Amino acid sequence: MLIDSHCHLDFPDFAEERDAIITRARQAGIGLMLTISTRLDQFDRVLAVAEAYPDIYCTVGVHPHEADDHPDVTAAKLVALASHPKVVGIGETGLDYFYDHSDREAQKRCFLAHITAARDTGLPVIIHTRDADDDTAAILDAEMAKGKFKGLLHCFSSGHALAELAVRHDMMVSFSGILTFNKARGVQESAVALPMGNLLVETDAPYLAPVPLRGKRNEPSYVVHTAAFLAKLKGVGVGEITEQTTQNFLRLFDKVPREAVADRRAA
């Protein structure tokens, strides 16, 4: 089975046909989906989606775009919310200097709170980084020196040096539909170079639908196209990418009950 390691199933884009979208994902062989939190005041609806379906889990966190609206976010608050059995990760968080929708210092403070929560809970931190490679690298190096934590760079579109740094820290690097875009040569080169044991695939749905569906609203079933493209880049079969990325996900998100995984494999 494949796993969509990052999607936003609580978004209004899916409200009217969420059941159909999830059914299509299952029919496409997507065994698990991870729906991602972006605002704490909307966490309840993220959790509600995860609670409603046995093959969906979720995270808790604040997207860097939303950091200005969360000046009081603390690691303790994130840790408390992460105690729910369906919450298996912290984030998404990080730095986005492309849009600068939030003050950069606010983004950094928020990012650090999430890293502390990840360290305290043992859950992985999901990192969004755009046009902020140097600061992201500096924070990861400094925080890892204080104490190890698990994590991944989601929707990877950064320079290869940041991907290498993630691998040195035993983190995962997740590829979205961007990987399939004709102009994404640097991202594709990183995918080729990175070890198989550090790779994940995702949709980031409803955004970034892969070729041949680029321009459409994305959904979890479309992750099969990204996985197939990754397999071609790596020179391996789709089955190998499917199995490897699934094992990588389960190693990273080890709060997901193994009986749930066995049930989905048998489905």
Side-chain angles (χ1 to χ4, degrees), residues 95-99 128-133 136 157-158:
L95 306 174
D96 193 312
Y97 295 171
F98 182 81
Y99 286 110
H128 170 112
T129 180
R130 189 170 184 188
D131 281 14
D133 285 19
T136 298
S157 62
S158 300

Side-chain angles (χ1 to χ4, degrees), residues 205-263:
Y207 311 115
L208 302 170
V211 175
L213 301 163
R214 189 175 182 184
K216 296 185 176 183
R217 182 199 64 186
N218 205 359
E219 61 179 71
S221 63
Y222 296 174
V223 76
V224 298
H225 298 286
T226 301
F229 194 91
L230 179 59
K232 184 176 180 180
L233 284 176
K234 299 292 280 186
V236 300
V238 174
E240 184 173 347
I241 287 294
T242 298
E243 184 62 25
Q244 183 70 65
T245 56
T246 294
Q247 291 303 320
N248 293 347
F249 178 94
L250 297 175
R251 186 171 73 252
L252 182 65
F253 293 96
D254 56 3
K255 187 177 172 180
V256 175
R258 288 304 176 266
E259 57 269 25
V261 178
D263 289 345

Side-chain angles (χ1 to χ4, degrees), residues 42-255:
Q42 296 173 0
F43 171 66
D44 285 351
R45 75 184 197 190
V46 176
L47 183 59
V49 172
E51 289 180 321
Y53 303 93
D55 44 354
I56 297 177
Y57 291 82
C58 71
T59 67
V60 59
V62 178
H63 193 287
H65 289 343
E66 314 296 342
D68 281 352
D69 288 345
H70 292 77
D72 300 324
V73 65
T74 64
K77 176 67 171 177
L78 294 167
V79 169
L81 292 172
S83 65
H84 191 284
K86 275 282 188 164
V87 179
V88 299
I90 306 294
E92 64 186 282
T93 183
L95 306 174
D96 193 312
Y97 295 171
F98 182 81
Y99 286 110
D100 274 330
H101 286 330
S102 284
D103 175 78
R104 292 185 179 186
E105 292 306 312
Q107 292 184 48
K108 291 176 184 177
R109 288 193 298 272
C110 195
F111 190 10
L112 291 172
H114 284 68
I115 289 174
T116 299
R119 191 184 289 118
D120 290 350
T121 60
L123 301 178
V125 60
I126 296 91
I127 300 167
H128 170 112
T129 180
R130 189 170 184 188
D131 281 14
D133 285 19
D134 290 346
D135 282 358
T136 298
I139 287 173
L140 291 177
D141 277 339
E143 289 299 308
M144 283 290 184
K146 297 177 184 178
K148 293 290 187 180
F149 56 92
K150 299 187 297 182
L152 75 152
L153 300 178
H154 112 87
C155 193
F156 184 77
S157 62
S158 300
H160 187 63
L162 188 60
E164 290 181 322
L165 180 145
V167 170
R168 287 198 301 274
H169 289 310
D170 198 28
M171 300 174 74
M172 298 287 178
V173 180
S174 181
F175 292 96
S176 69
I178 290 174
L179 184 70
T180 70
F181 297 175
N182 289 335
K183 294 184 178 180
R185 300 301 182 193
V187 175
Q188 294 166 6
E189 290 169 2
S190 289
V192 170
L194 291 175
M196 290 278 281
N198 295 88
L199 303 180
L200 295 176
V201 289
E202 64 172 89
T203 57
D204 202 14
Y207 311 115
L208 302 170
V211 175
L213 301 163
R214 189 175 182 184
K216 296 185 176 183
R217 182 199 64 186
N218 205 359
E219 61 179 71
S221 63
Y222 296 174
V223 76
V224 298
H225 298 286
T226 301
F229 194 91
L230 179 59
K232 184 176 180 180
L233 284 176
K234 299 292 280 186
V236 300
V238 174
E240 184 173 347
I241 287 294
T242 298
E243 184 62 25
Q244 183 70 65
T245 56
T246 294
Q247 291 303 320
N248 293 347
F249 178 94
L250 297 175
R251 186 171 73 252
L252 182 65
F253 293 96
D254 56 3
K255 187 177 172 180

